[in-house]
Amino acid sequence: MSYPAIIDKWKCGDKNKVISPYFLTTFALKSLIEGEHHIVKDYILWYIHNLNYPDKYGYTGTIYDFIFKEGKLVSLDDYDSADSYAGTFLVLIYLYILYTKDLDFIRDNLSKIKDISYAIIKLKDTDSGLVRAKPDLNSKFLIDNIEAYTGLALFCKTLKLFKDKEGEYYCKHAVSLKQDIEKGFKEKDKLYWVVDDNVKQG
């Protein structure tokens, strides 16, 4: 699997030609809504196939950025924000089930999807409970945390569909992250966009 079909529909990337799984996932969500379910299924398989076990920070269930070169995607061995990549992908998984009813496909790959979800939990800061963008950064972004929470909350629903015993574990983390987001980014009538080394900015 050199690259998923979504790359043929979206080859822009950023100014450095970096192709981020975050944006690929958002494009897959659009394809899902438009009924191109086979393209989305191929993308999910590609994403899972390219998970790190482990990455350079010792984390499993993450995925690197890529660059498109000579017809293939080449890994850049790093990512911009592991939390938002995982969160948006978990949203895609839940919506894929709703749109396709293909429970068997997700069940077959559920252990790997749990690894993706667990990466979010491992990225949580022990003091604030907020999710760090990367293992080597202490920056916690509001939008990333919202995406991480949404992914965990919907993965909780995914596991309930399968009556998975580990569902309660992920549900608890989703609830606690929601509470920590409200506590960490809000102060009276002010909303902060980032908490960096426990300093709020916004």
Side-chain angles (χ1 to χ4, degrees):
M1 298 179 68
S2 58
Y3 64 91
I6 280 179
I7 296 297
D8 288 328
K9 301 180 64 176
W10 186 81
K11 290 184 179 179
C12 51
D14 68 11
K15 63 181 180 180
N16 297 315
K17 305 299 182 183
V18 173
I19 296 176
S20 164
Y22 173 83
F23 292 108
L24 292 181
T25 298
T26 57
F27 199 86
L29 287 165
K30 182 175 183 291
S31 297
L32 184 64
I33 294 170
E34 293 174 346
E36 298 178 305
H37 299 160
H38 64 289
I39 290 178
V40 179
K41 186 174 184 177
D42 287 345
Y43 171 68
I44 291 172
L45 283 172
W46 173 86
Y47 190 106
I48 290 172
H49 177 75
N50 283 279
L51 291 176
N52 298 308
Y53 285 93
D55 65 20
K56 67 179 186 178
Y57 303 104
Y59 280 51
T60 59
T62 62
I63 186 170
Y64 289 139
D65 289 335
F66 295 83
I67 190 168
F68 195 75
K69 185 177 181 180
E70 297 179 356
K72 294 183 179 181
L73 285 182
V74 178
S75 173
L76 294 180
D77 297 330
D78 204 358
Y79 38 71
D80 177 71
S81 50
D83 54 352
S84 59
Y85 291 16
T88 51
F89 187 77
L90 293 173
V91 171
L92 177 64
I93 292 299
Y94 182 70
L95 292 182
Y96 178 85
I97 293 173
L98 293 188
Y99 275 86
T100 69
K101 314 301 180 187
D102 190 358
L103 290 171
D104 289 339
F105 171 62
I106 300 302
R107 183 183 291 108
D108 290 343
N109 293 282
L110 196 56
S111 63
K112 296 291 183 68
I113 300 171
K114 285 182 180 179
D115 292 336
I116 296 168
S117 182
Y118 184 70
I120 294 175
I121 296 170
K122 192 174 179 182
L123 282 163
K124 291 178 73 174
D125 177 65
T126 54
D127 294 327
S128 67
L130 299 175
V131 180
R132 292 169 289 129
K134 295 176 65 174
D136 62 336
L137 294 178
N138 201 29
S139 299
K140 284 83 67 176
F141 297 97
L142 174 60
I143 185 62
D144 289 44
N145 273 262
I146 290 173
E147 289 168 335
Y149 160 71
T150 304
L152 281 180
L154 291 183
F155 187 57
C156 171
K157 290 188 174 185
T158 297
L159 291 179
K160 285 182 178 179
L161 291 175
F162 293 106
K163 296 180 172 58
D164 191 292
K165 294 180 179 179
E166 293 184 8
E168 185 177 349
Y169 171 79
Y170 293 98
C171 291
K172 285 182 178 178
H173 276 284
V175 171
S176 65
L177 180 55
K178 180 176 184 293
Q179 294 170 344
D180 290 328
I181 289 172
E182 292 175 349
K183 182 173 60 177
F185 291 102
K186 291 176 65 177
E187 190 173 292
K188 296 182 180 179
D189 59 345
K190 188 173 182 61
L191 188 64
Y192 297 92
W193 68 276
V194 64
V195 178
D196 203 348
D197 287 324
N198 298 319
V199 177
K200 298 180 180 180
Q201 302 179 39

